[in-house]
Amino acid sequence: MNTASVQNAAQLINNGNTIMGMELGSTRIKASLISPAGKPLAGGSYGWENKFENGVWTYDMNEVWTGIAGCYADMAADVEKRYSLGLSNFAAGGFSGMMHGYIALDKNGELLTPFRTWRNNITGQAAEELTKLFGFAIPQRWSIAHLYQAVLNNEEHVARIGFLTTLAGYVHWKLTGERITGIGEGSGMFPIDPASLDYDKERMEKFDRLVEGKNYPWKLRDILPKVLMAGENAGALTQEGARLLDSSGTLQAGISICPPEGDAGTGMVATNSVKPRTGNVSAGTSVFAMIVLEKPLKEVHPEIDIVTTPDGKPVGMAHSNNCSSDFDAWMGILGQTAAALGLEPSADTLYGKLMPLALQGDPDAGGLLAVSYVSGEHITGFSEGRPLFVRTPESSFTLPNFLRSLLFTAFCALRTGLNILTEKEGVAVDEIRGHGGIFRTPEVGQRIMAAATGTAVSLPETAGEGGAWGMALLAAYMLKGRDSASLPEFLDSLISGSMGQALKPDPEDVRGFNEFFERYHRGLSIEREAIRVL
């Protein structure tokens, strides 16, 4: 920033005219403080990890608040460093989290069972039965699948549920006292009626009849959060909420908060992918593609979620539980190797030097095979995973091919889902916009993604800001108001010129990925055997 820009930003901060977004992602909690024009001014982060406890992927809820406070403190320190100012107020804020999952609270707001995250594949029976009952695909990750699986398991806590929500909805409730969800996040809790832009009443009544023999003291509508659209006001930061967010006690209460969204919704906003025929791919711990639909799908596909944009447009979503975790684990091993040789490269240096080597490998990764299933993968029918790497004696086992195989496999399950949308349903997408950690190294992730999807891929200039920035934009949209502009119009006015140059797929990369993709599907029999014996 030049001196004038710094002074202007400092004035915005001092007058309380900035906007904050915070997102609780799978491995990092991030905050972004922006100007009313969408320009990032400061940021903060806090690292955390899920745990596999008693057969469930979860997070300690105490760390939710430790992490939120740590992330906010890091952002406040960034403001102090850049502008020599304290941060005591901002005009609006919003909070997002990893989508879906299951947070069940009693009538007093106490947690009834450990948070069950999107990463779990433990609701197969419930998802299958509800899909048949509703005539609508219910993925295992969705809140309603977790609830019905708990019913089928006769879990005693179900009768005591007073409020069922997601991580974003939980954080919003604790900070504002309001039981609300944004429509995009709500569409991953229960199917949305495209006409009413609310939970589907007919399907909700079907669920109530399904469980009426249990004599629970609630109806489904009673325990779900209220659905709001992007641009609506979803409450204000309470005194208690301000203390949870800012442990120093400096932050003022009363700040307007927009509807909470999941990381799928903030990804669509951050990449300006909210119009029909636009799409984005978010690639990090998991990877998912969101394509805004022009018309309803012809069939029900269990592999495809039907969710919505934050302003209620239908979206076809292909979601893979596994993306970068196994790649990151291998990069850790390579980093340890460097340390044993007396080198101490930073993570940025390690990734920056090694990832580009993948572009030097053979088109099909030299006959190598990697399967990156750290956890289960619903698209290909696995309830748990065993990361594996396999080669034949004839494979070309080089470092570039090894890295290329790890990057290719990160997108194979996603490609399986996308094939359903593009080949079976004829869904069209003009361009895919990428964001997430795997795109941080210039060109590499973009080129691999273009090969995997066969579609041009662009990276927004602010792709590194991610979902926290997208959440801040939604808070800015709330300040402007839905009546003044549609969400696509609002985003076009702020960020349409920052989408970056689209990279078209290289024909040799496409051919090589397709060969690897066939090898990957043949190799899933090895994955099944690994799960059986290990």
Side-chain angles (χ1 to χ4, degrees):
M1 277 190 187
N2 57 37
T3 301
S5 296
V6 170
Q7 290 175 343
N8 182 55
Q11 186 175 15
L12 289 171
I13 294 167
N14 199 45
N15 293 340
N17 292 329
T18 57
I19 299 130
M20 189 206 75
M22 184 178 290
E23 181 160 287
L24 287 81
S26 299
T27 58
R28 273 206 307 169
I29 303 172
K30 286 189 67 177
S32 180
L33 191 71
I34 68 170
S35 72
K39 183 177 180 60
L41 304 177
S45 66
Y46 176 91
W48 68 339
E49 283 288 350
N50 57 184
K51 301 174 183 177
F52 191 64
E53 296 181 343
N54 301 316
V56 173
W57 291 101
T58 188
Y59 292 82
D60 186 330
M61 299 309 282
N62 290 326
E63 194 174 7
V64 169
W65 299 109
T66 301
I68 285 174
C71 178
Y72 183 86
D74 193 45
M75 183 183 69
D78 192 37
V79 169
E80 173 67 33
K81 180 180 178 181
R82 290 172 183 258
Y83 310 107
S84 301
L85 289 171
L87 184 62
S88 61
N89 196 13
F90 40 88
F95 297 85
S96 60
M98 58 195 90
M99 55 192 172
H100 315 323
Y102 183 79
I103 294 180
L105 307 166
D106 67 15
K107 63 181 181 181
N108 297 315
E110 296 297 321
L111 192 68
L112 291 170
T113 188
F115 170 32
R116 299 170 186 179
T117 78
W118 59 269
R119 199 170 196 176
N120 291 286
N121 282 269
I122 56 176
T123 65
Q125 181 184 356
E128 183 178 351
E129 291 185 14
L130 290 178
T131 296
K132 291 178 180 176
L133 177 69
F134 294 156
F136 188 97
I138 302 295
Q140 291 197 47
R141 303 180 311 282
W142 282 25
S143 306
I144 189 63
H146 280 282
L147 174 62
Y148 187 49
Q149 191 64 54
V151 171
L152 293 174
N153 295 344
N154 293 310
E155 296 184 39
E156 63 84 23
H157 79 267
V158 176
R160 297 188 286 126
I161 294 176
F163 181 35
L164 177 62
T165 188
T166 63
L167 182 59
Y170 170 75
V171 169
H172 184 90
W173 168 65
K174 290 287 284 185
L175 295 178
T176 67
E178 302 288 345
R179 296 183 174 188
I180 284 171
T181 181
I183 191 169
E185 179 76 333
S187 69
M189 295 193 74
F190 194 84
I192 293 292
D193 178 354
S196 68
L197 297 177
D198 197 358
Y199 302 122
D200 188 296
K201 181 180 178 182
E202 182 179 337
R203 291 183 172 113
M204 192 167 275
E205 290 172 350
K206 284 184 177 181
F207 181 84
D208 285 335
R209 289 194 296 271
L210 180 65
V211 300
E212 64 184 356
K214 297 288 187 178
N215 295 315
Y216 294 132
W218 48 258
K219 297 292 186 184
L220 186 58
R221 168 71 70 173
D222 301 334
I223 61 175
L224 292 182
K226 180 182 178 181
V227 172
L228 290 184
M229 300 277 284
E232 295 188 271
N233 189 296
L237 190 67
T238 63
Q239 290 284 357
E240 180 185 359
R243 288 193 297 270
L244 284 170
L245 189 56
D246 178 15
S247 58
S248 74
T250 304
L251 184 63
Q252 299 175 20
I255 297 168
S256 294
I257 306 296
C258 71
E261 274 293 350
D263 50 4
T266 58
M268 286 186 277
V269 170
T271 56
N272 195 11
S273 303
V274 293
K275 299 176 186 175
R277 294 180 67 100
T278 63
N280 81 92
V281 169
S282 175
T285 303
S286 67
V287 58
F288 49 87
M290 315 282 293
I291 299 177
V292 186
L293 302 174
E294 297 179 280
K295 57 186 178 181
L297 300 186
K298 298 187 291 287
E299 300 178 26
V300 174
H301 303 280
E303 303 89 347
I304 302 298
D305 302 17
I306 300 299
V307 291
T308 79
T309 63
D311 61 342
K313 294 184 181 67
V315 174
M317 176 182 182
H319 181 281
S320 166
N321 280 359
N322 299 280
C323 184
S324 66
S325 293
D326 191 43
F327 183 84
D328 292 339
W330 279 109
M331 293 296 279
I333 291 294
L334 295 173
Q336 292 174 35
T337 303
L341 295 173
L343 304 173
E344 294 289 345
S346 66
D348 285 344
T349 298
L350 190 70
Y351 281 73
K353 293 290 187 182
L354 292 181
M355 282 186 70
L357 295 179
L359 302 183
Q360 301 174 21
D362 297 327
D364 75 331
L368 306 180
L369 173 64
V371 178
S372 59
Y373 293 2
V374 174
S375 63
E377 191 56 74
H378 74 103
I379 287 182
T380 51
F382 288 85
S383 61
E384 53 184 309
R386 301 291 186 271
L388 59 84
F389 174 77
V390 184
R391 64 187 178 97
T392 68
E394 295 78 26
S395 299
S396 179
F397 189 30
T398 66
L399 182 58
N401 281 337
F402 176 63
L403 294 167
R404 192 175 181 91
S405 73
L406 294 175
L407 288 173
F408 270 0
T409 198
F411 297 115
C412 281
L414 178 74
R415 166 66 177 272
T416 304
L418 284 175
N419 282 353
I420 294 171
L421 286 173
T422 58
E423 296 177 7
K424 294 185 178 181
E425 290 286 347
V427 171
V429 60
D430 298 323
E431 179 183 310
I432 286 178
R433 294 165 180 170
H435 73 115
I438 210 161
F439 295 110
R440 288 181 63 187
T441 303
E443 187 183 353
V444 181
Q446 190 177 8
R447 189 165 144 188
I448 296 293
M449 176 61 71
T453 61
T455 304
V457 175
S458 63
L459 299 183
E461 293 172 9
T462 47
E465 299 294 330
W469 181 65
M471 196 67 232
L473 290 175
L474 285 171
Y477 180 55
M478 176 192 68
L479 285 181
K480 190 172 182 67
R482 292 177 61 206
D483 294 337
S484 63
S486 67
L487 181 61
E489 290 169 343
F490 173 74
L491 294 177
D492 280 346
S493 71
L494 292 188
I495 62 175
S496 62
S498 64
M499 287 300 105
Q501 184 66 38
L503 179 70
K504 294 181 179 179
D506 179 276
E508 277 296 287
D509 286 344
V510 173
R511 179 185 65 79
F513 183 87
N514 288 340
E515 289 182 19
F516 183 92
F517 185 67
E518 291 177 4
R519 185 185 314 133
Y520 167 90
H521 274 278
R522 293 195 304 270
L524 290 181
S525 59
I526 307 172
E527 176 74 10
R528 290 189 178 88
E529 185 66 10
I531 291 170
R532 188 185 71 81
V533 301
L534 293 177

